[in-house]
Amino acid sequence: MLLTLAWGSLFFPGLFVLSTWWLRRARPEWTDHDCVMISTRVVSSAQAVLATGSGIVIIRACRNVVSDRHWLAREYVWFLIPYMVYDTYAMYLCEWYRTREQDRRHTLTIFRNFLSKNRLMITHHVVILLVLVPVTQRLRGELGDFFVGCIFTAELSTPFVSLGRVLIQLKQQHTLLYKVNGILTLTTFLSCRILLFPFMYWSYGHHQRLSLFQVPFRIPLYCNIANAFLIAPQIYWFSLLCKKAARLFDTPPAGKDG
């Protein structure tokens, strides 16, 4: 545990510092905010790839979705904890550089704006650290590694979301790459962050010889409540992505000839 925490504490901030340093040397015309923001997205994508890979390994290893075990189901959570702490600070750092380049506001004002603009994401990180970590590491006992692996694969959409943010920052919204990435973002987000939950219910039902619609009534109430809290922000974020996609692909009507 301690060794994994230490590795995570070195890996994520270290990758951020290395990426920022390289971008400043490779792209001297970019602002500090550009370099910091893109480095943040690089680290987020790296974490997503690691989490998704771990999740796939766990899912493939657990034939029995209830009782089979895999060491990554616990170990990667310890690795994830430093990332959540780092990512919260990195979001603040992006806000600080962005505000500093626009006007020189007081640090306390910047911090308040950061909390206001990122309250949902900050709440998401705090819930993971204070609720999901104890559940996955202690309260669930020796059961459910398969479902922990499923939750890890929800990160599959993150690299596409990150690439979209980078392309916006670089003012590349008009490119074909941005549109293709938008389609991939919607597809992976829908499949791995929303449809993932019916898949987990179906997997449990298949194991217990229950139909999908019987499962919610055969598992503890707190499991349904926890899943509802997990999927609610995903549905909200997906609705925002759909609105952006609608604006992106909405072509204005051709003007009439006079």
Side-chain angles (χ1 to χ4, degrees):
M1 179 189 79
L2 292 179
L3 183 60
T4 307
L5 283 169
W7 275 115
S9 300
L10 289 173
F11 177 76
F12 295 114
L15 180 58
F16 172 78
V17 170
L18 182 63
S19 177
T20 304
W21 172 83
W22 183 83
L23 286 173
R24 282 172 173 163
R25 290 177 62 89
R27 292 288 186 270
E29 69 277 11
W30 285 1
T31 66
D32 287 339
H33 176 245
D34 289 336
C35 295
V36 168
M37 191 281 294
I38 293 174
S39 296
T40 302
R41 298 300 170 185
V42 168
V43 178
S44 296
S45 298
Q47 190 283 134
V49 170
L50 293 173
T52 302
S54 299
I56 292 172
V57 170
I58 295 166
I59 291 170
R60 290 176 60 86
C62 294
R63 301 288 183 178
N64 186 314
V65 301
V66 176
S67 59
D68 278 0
R69 308 297 313 283
H70 195 283
W71 63 273
L72 273 173
R74 290 191 186 276
E75 208 63 26
Y76 191 78
V77 174
W78 297 125
F79 193 65
L80 183 64
I81 291 173
Y83 170 77
M84 289 296 167
V85 177
Y86 145 80
D87 193 50
T88 303
Y89 176 72
M91 287 190 296
Y92 170 73
L93 202 60
C94 288
E95 178 66 16
W96 189 84
Y97 273 108
R98 185 189 68 81
T99 306
R100 193 188 71 165
E101 290 174 3
Q102 293 178 356
D103 52 53
R104 296 186 177 275
R105 296 183 186 175
H106 192 274
T107 302
L108 183 59
T109 304
I110 296 174
F111 184 69
R112 286 174 178 169
N113 290 341
F114 162 71
L115 293 178
S116 176
K117 291 176 60 178
N118 298 278
R119 57 181 176 272
L120 184 58
M121 185 61 73
I122 294 171
T123 302
H124 172 264
H125 284 24
V126 170
V127 168
I128 288 177
L129 290 173
L130 300 185
V131 179
L132 293 186
V133 169
V135 169
T136 58
Q137 302 303 80
R138 291 289 181 263
L139 299 180
R140 69 184 177 92
E142 304 295 319
L143 304 176
D145 282 14
F146 172 86
F147 300 105
V148 174
C150 289
I151 296 297
F152 286 167
T153 63
E155 290 293 316
L156 180 62
S157 62
T158 299
F160 302 106
V161 174
S162 295
L163 178 58
R165 297 285 180 83
V166 170
L167 291 173
I168 291 173
Q169 184 70 19
L170 300 179
K171 297 179 174 57
Q172 298 296 309
Q173 300 97 313
H174 61 283
T175 61
L176 177 62
L177 174 60
Y178 183 79
K179 293 183 178 181
V180 171
N181 183 72
I183 295 171
L184 292 173
T185 300
L186 287 174
T187 303
T188 54
F189 202 101
L190 176 64
S191 59
C192 293
R193 289 184 179 254
I194 296 177
L195 298 181
L196 172 70
F197 290 90
F199 169 74
M200 291 193 292
Y201 277 66
W202 175 85
S203 298
Y204 180 82
H206 181 72
H207 174 73
Q208 301 287 48
R209 297 182 179 178
L210 300 170
S211 73
L212 175 63
F213 301 103
Q214 289 177 304
V215 173
F217 304 100
R218 299 295 184 89
I219 62 177
L221 177 62
Y222 64 81
C223 291
N224 290 316
I225 294 173
N227 285 327
F229 274 104
L230 286 173
I231 198 173
Q234 312 305 329
I235 293 175
Y236 172 73
W237 284 322
F238 184 68
S239 69
L240 295 182
L241 289 173
C242 288
K243 289 177 181 177
K244 287 185 178 180
R247 289 197 301 267
L248 176 64
F249 291 100
D250 184 26
T251 54
K256 295 181 179 180
D257 295 333

